[in-house]
Amino acid sequence: MKSLKRINLSFSFLAFALLSQILPSSALAENMISDQERELIMFFSFECGSCHSGMLAMNYTKKSIGGYQRMVPIVTDDISTHKSAALYFMIKLTQSKHQLSESEMVDIGFQLYPLVKDENLEPDVYMMLFKKYGLQISLMDFLKAWEATYVMMGSAKELTQQVRDEKKTFSLPLFRVTYDNETRFVTPDFEKLTLAEFKDIILSYKGA
């Protein structure tokens, strides 16, 4: 696959560093851990083909399952997980500006990831990719989202490590289900499960 042709954007890393000191990006970064009795977290990567089905299934069953729910990209010392997570958070943080549905956001992420996985983890790569695919965003909004993305990637890495401590080995997509302080894990086979069966599994783990 050909490398993305690098272009000169209107900011450099120095400009980014200076602007990041004055932009209130911390307000964009979301907390990934809740204190609610019911919690459903899906761990995924854009490198995982089955994760696409898992993310769509979670969106489909979100209302009926209830409780605190979040999709979290795994972040380890492997740089490929950083690129996948950065892409997810950048799309997520700018979702409302692009008026994307959850399903559209998931589809775009899987379409764009092959174009960033061999690139450097730099803001100009992601901004150029956004523009190429018609995801228009102002420089100021992009910089806010980019800094917030790094905050959220740090939280995702901590949460990934927590899951590694709880479950030594696992495959993706991985669902972490907590109900009344009891946590269980499930890795559904979406080639065999229907959405209704997936929902029943999660609900049964939650004691619903």
Side-chain angles (χ1 to χ4, degrees), residues 27-94:
L28 291 177
E30 303 173 45
N31 185 15
M32 295 186 192
I33 303 174
S34 79
D35 56 0
Q36 296 185 27
E37 291 183 354
R38 292 189 174 194
E39 182 180 74
L40 174 63
I41 299 178
M42 175 190 170
F43 293 89
F44 74 95
S45 168
F46 283 131
E47 288 195 299
C48 161
S50 297
C51 290
H52 186 268
S53 298
M55 295 170 81
L56 294 178
M58 190 165 175
N59 285 331
Y60 178 81
T61 59
K62 179 176 286 188
K63 291 183 179 179
S64 56
I65 290 175
Y68 177 86
Q69 300 179 46
R70 175 172 290 284
M71 297 179 189
V72 177
I74 61 166
V75 179
T76 67
D77 292 334
D78 185 341
I79 190 63
S80 67
T81 66
H82 297 197
K83 296 175 183 179
S84 173
L87 179 60
Y88 172 75
F89 288 131
M90 283 300 295
I91 297 174
K92 181 68 175 177
L93 290 167
T94 59

Side-chain angles (χ1 to χ4, degrees), residues 141-165:
D141 287 337
F142 179 88
L143 290 174
K144 289 179 182 179
W146 185 260
E147 188 183 4
T149 286
Y150 266 81
V151 175
M152 297 180 76
M153 285 173 63
S155 297
K157 186 172 185 177
E158 292 179 5
L159 205 48
T160 301
Q161 185 58 53
Q162 180 180 330
V163 170
R164 281 182 156 182
D165 293 340

Side-chain angles (χ1 to χ4, degrees), residues 50 54 172-175 186-193 198 201-202:
S50 297
L172 299 176
L174 177 70
F175 291 83
V186 59
T187 301
D189 183 349
F190 286 104
E191 291 186 359
K192 299 178 180 179
L193 281 179
F198 165 74
I201 291 174
I202 301 301

Side-chain angles (χ1 to χ4, degrees), residues 163-181:
V163 170
R164 281 182 156 182
D165 293 340
E166 295 172 339
K167 188 173 175 63
K168 300 303 180 184
T169 60
F170 61 85
S171 57
L172 299 176
L174 177 70
F175 291 83
R176 183 180 186 274
V177 187
T178 301
Y179 180 76
D180 284 345
N181 296 319

